[in-house]
Amino acid sequence: MSTLVVNGKSREVHAGPDMPLLWVLRDKLGLTGTKFGCGVGLCGACTVHIDGTPTRSCSTPLSAVAGKKITTIEGLSRKSDHPVQHAWLMHDTPQCGYCQSGQIMSAAALLAKNKNPNDADIDAAMAGNICRCGTYAEIRAAIHTAAKLMHKVI
């Protein structure tokens, strides 16, 4: 049995130490907002925050997250009102939506460290997130909007 801190709550799971965090979140804890994409950490659909750092949960074993804070898309905000989530809706960013939770988690991590990113900063931070529908221009615009919203909120 392992104890994890997920979205601010201590959770106990029965899983082997090599089980990927993605499957612990989805299958053991019922947090299905984090998506399976490629299974090897290349597409970014499974991105969560581990101690504030965007991390691919499909290639992170359970043993690697002991004692660390894990945040999933469900834990980003209580009422889905994080500035990035607002901006995503304002820009009508998702098409199929499959990659969007990973995109949002990467964008939120960027804005937590860089309150006013330029296009190059955004492109660098988002480079590991693939969008099958090609909404990269909308994603970049939404991140700029989210940065502005954060200045109003903070």
Side-chain angles (χ1 to χ4, degrees):
M1 180 161 7
S2 297
T3 302
L4 302 175
V5 177
V6 181
N7 299 331
K9 294 180 182 177
S10 182
R11 306 283 300 265
E12 290 191 8
V13 295
H14 296 280
D18 293 335
M19 180 179 242
L21 178 59
L22 171 67
W23 301 119
V24 171
L25 295 171
R26 291 182 60 80
D27 295 348
K28 302 290 183 179
L29 299 179
L31 298 169
T32 58
T34 304
K35 304 299 182 195
F36 173 79
C38 66
V40 292
L42 298 175
C43 75
C46 68
T47 302
V48 298
H49 295 173
I50 298 179
D51 288 340
T53 300
T55 305
R56 306 302 189 248
S57 64
C58 74
S59 57
T60 302
L62 178 59
S63 61
V65 297
K68 299 182 180 182
K69 291 190 257 180
I70 302 161
T71 305
T72 68
I73 189 74
E74 293 93 344
L76 189 59
S77 64
R78 289 182 178 213
K79 299 179 183 178
S80 297
D81 59 355
H82 188 281
V84 174
Q85 292 168 309
H86 274 302
W88 245 245
L89 293 173
M90 291 170 64
H91 285 272
D92 199 22
T93 302
Q95 285 186 22
C96 81
Y98 198 79
C99 69
Q100 296 304 306
S101 61
Q103 300 275 3
I104 288 169
M105 294 305 286
S106 291
L110 166 65
L111 293 174
K113 293 181 179 177
N114 182 345
K115 304 292 185 207
N116 192 25
N118 60 34
D119 286 347
D121 296 331
I122 292 170
D123 292 348
M126 303 302 290
N129 291 81
I130 297 171
C131 177
R132 297 173 186 170
C133 301
T135 64
Y136 299 110
E138 290 85 357
I139 290 167
R140 186 187 295 143
I143 293 170
H144 283 298
T145 296
K148 292 175 186 167
L149 290 172
M150 290 177 86
H151 289 301
K152 290 179 184 178
V153 174
I154 296 175

Short mmCIF file of all heavy atoms in Angstrom, two decimals, residues 16 41-42 48 66-67 71 81 86 89 98 110 124 127 132 139-140 143 145 151:
data_model
loop_
_atom_site.label_atom_id
_atom_site.label_comp_id
_atom_site.label_asym_id
_atom_site.label_seq_id
_atom_site.Cartn_x
_atom_site.Cartn_y
_atom_site.Cartn_z
N GLY A 16 1.45 -1.74 -7.16
CA GLY A 16 2.87 -2.03 -7.14
C GLY A 16 3.69 -0.77 -7.40
O GLY A 16 3.20 0.18 -8.02
N GLY A 41 5.47 9.11 -22.63
CA GLY A 41 5.82 10.44 -22.18
C GLY A 41 6.15 11.44 -23.26
O GLY A 41 6.78 12.46 -22.98
N LEU A 42 5.72 11.19 -24.49
CA LEU A 42 6.07 12.09 -25.60
C LEU A 42 4.96 13.06 -26.01
O LEU A 42 5.25 14.08 -26.60
CB LEU A 42 6.49 11.27 -26.82
CG LEU A 42 7.72 10.40 -26.63
CD1 LEU A 42 7.96 9.54 -27.87
CD2 LEU A 42 8.94 11.25 -26.32
N VAL A 48 0.61 15.96 -15.37
CA VAL A 48 0.15 16.38 -14.05
C VAL A 48 1.28 17.21 -13.44
O VAL A 48 2.38 17.26 -13.99
CB VAL A 48 -0.19 15.17 -13.14
CG1 VAL A 48 -1.33 14.35 -13.73
CG2 VAL A 48 1.03 14.30 -12.88
N ALA A 66 6.50 9.20 -4.07
CA ALA A 66 6.33 9.10 -2.62
C ALA A 66 6.75 10.41 -1.96
O ALA A 66 7.82 10.94 -2.23
CB ALA A 66 7.16 7.95 -2.07
N GLY A 67 5.87 10.95 -1.13
CA GLY A 67 6.17 12.17 -0.39
C GLY A 67 6.08 13.45 -1.20
O GLY A 67 6.43 14.52 -0.71
N THR A 71 -0.76 17.10 -8.42
CA THR A 71 -1.96 17.87 -8.79
C THR A 71 -2.39 17.42 -10.17
O THR A 71 -1.60 17.45 -11.11
CB THR A 71 -1.69 19.38 -8.78
OG1 THR A 71 -1.17 19.76 -7.50
CG2 THR A 71 -2.96 20.16 -9.06
N ASP A 81 -12.16 27.20 -12.18
CA ASP A 81 -12.09 28.64 -12.43
C ASP A 81 -10.66 29.19 -12.44
O ASP A 81 -10.45 30.38 -12.28
CB ASP A 81 -12.93 29.39 -11.41
CG ASP A 81 -12.50 29.14 -9.96
OD1 ASP A 81 -11.61 28.30 -9.73
OD2 ASP A 81 -13.09 29.76 -9.07
N HIS A 86 -10.34 29.46 -17.66
CA HIS A 86 -11.18 30.54 -18.20
C HIS A 86 -10.72 30.94 -19.59
O HIS A 86 -11.53 31.11 -20.51
CB HIS A 86 -11.13 31.78 -17.29
CG HIS A 86 -12.11 31.76 -16.17
ND1 HIS A 86 -13.46 31.65 -16.35
CD2 HIS A 86 -11.91 31.84 -14.84
CE1 HIS A 86 -14.07 31.66 -15.18
NE2 HIS A 86 -13.14 31.77 -14.24
N LEU A 89 -11.68 28.56 -22.35
CA LEU A 89 -13.08 28.71 -22.76
C LEU A 89 -13.28 29.99 -23.57
O LEU A 89 -14.02 29.98 -24.57
CB LEU A 89 -13.99 28.70 -21.54
CG LEU A 89 -14.05 27.37 -20.78
CD1 LEU A 89 -14.86 27.53 -19.50
CD2 LEU A 89 -14.62 26.26 -21.66
N TYR A 98 -9.03 16.02 -26.40
CA TYR A 98 -8.32 14.92 -25.75
C TYR A 98 -7.03 15.36 -25.07
O TYR A 98 -6.74 14.93 -23.96
CB TYR A 98 -8.03 13.81 -26.76
CG TYR A 98 -7.70 12.54 -26.07
CD1 TYR A 98 -8.71 11.74 -25.55
CD2 TYR A 98 -6.39 12.15 -25.85
CE1 TYR A 98 -8.43 10.58 -24.86
CE2 TYR A 98 -6.09 10.99 -25.17
CZ TYR A 98 -7.11 10.20 -24.68
OH TYR A 98 -6.83 9.06 -23.99
N LEU A 110 3.69 26.80 -16.43
CA LEU A 110 4.45 27.91 -17.03
C LEU A 110 4.10 29.22 -16.34
O LEU A 110 4.98 29.97 -15.92
CB LEU A 110 4.16 28.02 -18.53
CG LEU A 110 4.60 29.32 -19.21
CD1 LEU A 110 6.12 29.47 -19.19
CD2 LEU A 110 4.06 29.39 -20.63
N ALA A 124 8.40 27.08 -25.85
CA ALA A 124 9.35 26.20 -25.15
C ALA A 124 8.64 25.37 -24.09
O ALA A 124 8.88 24.16 -23.97
CB ALA A 124 10.48 27.02 -24.54
N ALA A 127 6.25 22.73 -25.77
CA ALA A 127 6.82 21.91 -26.85
C ALA A 127 6.54 20.42 -26.69
O ALA A 127 6.41 19.71 -27.68
CB ALA A 127 8.32 22.15 -26.96
N ARG A 132 -3.47 16.93 -31.56
CA ARG A 132 -3.82 16.25 -32.82
C ARG A 132 -4.60 17.16 -33.75
O ARG A 132 -4.56 17.00 -34.96
CB ARG A 132 -4.64 15.01 -32.52
CG ARG A 132 -3.90 13.97 -31.73
CD ARG A 132 -4.84 12.85 -31.32
NE ARG A 132 -4.14 11.92 -30.45
CZ ARG A 132 -4.72 10.95 -29.78
NH1 ARG A 132 -6.02 10.78 -29.87
NH2 ARG A 132 -4.02 10.15 -29.02
N ILE A 139 -4.01 27.86 -28.43
CA ILE A 139 -3.38 27.57 -27.13
C ILE A 139 -2.48 28.73 -26.73
O ILE A 139 -2.55 29.22 -25.60
CB ILE A 139 -2.60 26.24 -27.20
CG1 ILE A 139 -3.57 25.07 -27.29
CG2 ILE A 139 -1.65 26.09 -26.01
CD1 ILE A 139 -2.94 23.74 -27.66
N ARG A 140 -1.66 29.21 -27.65
CA ARG A 140 -0.76 30.33 -27.34
C ARG A 140 -1.57 31.58 -26.96
O ARG A 140 -1.25 32.25 -25.98
CB ARG A 140 0.15 30.64 -28.52
CG ARG A 140 1.18 31.72 -28.14
CD ARG A 140 2.00 32.19 -29.31
NE ARG A 140 2.84 31.14 -29.85
CZ ARG A 140 3.09 31.00 -31.15
NH1 ARG A 140 2.58 31.83 -32.03
NH2 ARG A 140 3.88 30.04 -31.57
N ILE A 143 -2.99 31.25 -23.50
CA ILE A 143 -1.98 31.43 -22.45
C ILE A 143 -1.70 32.91 -22.23
O ILE A 143 -1.59 33.37 -21.08
CB ILE A 143 -0.70 30.64 -22.77
CG1 ILE A 143 -0.99 29.13 -22.71
CG2 ILE A 143 0.44 31.01 -21.82
CD1 ILE A 143 0.12 28.25 -23.23
N THR A 145 -3.84 35.30 -22.71
CA THR A 145 -5.03 35.79 -22.01
C THR A 145 -5.00 35.38 -20.55
O THR A 145 -5.31 36.18 -19.67
CB THR A 145 -6.31 35.29 -22.70
OG1 THR A 145 -6.36 35.82 -24.03
CG2 THR A 145 -7.56 35.70 -21.94
N HIS A 151 -2.96 38.58 -13.73
CA HIS A 151 -2.56 39.89 -13.21
C HIS A 151 -3.73 40.58 -12.54
O HIS A 151 -3.55 41.28 -11.55
CB HIS A 151 -2.01 40.78 -14.33
CG HIS A 151 -0.67 40.34 -14.84
ND1 HIS A 151 0.44 40.26 -14.03
CD2 HIS A 151 -0.27 39.93 -16.06
CE1 HIS A 151 1.47 39.84 -14.73
NE2 HIS A 151 1.07 39.63 -15.98
#
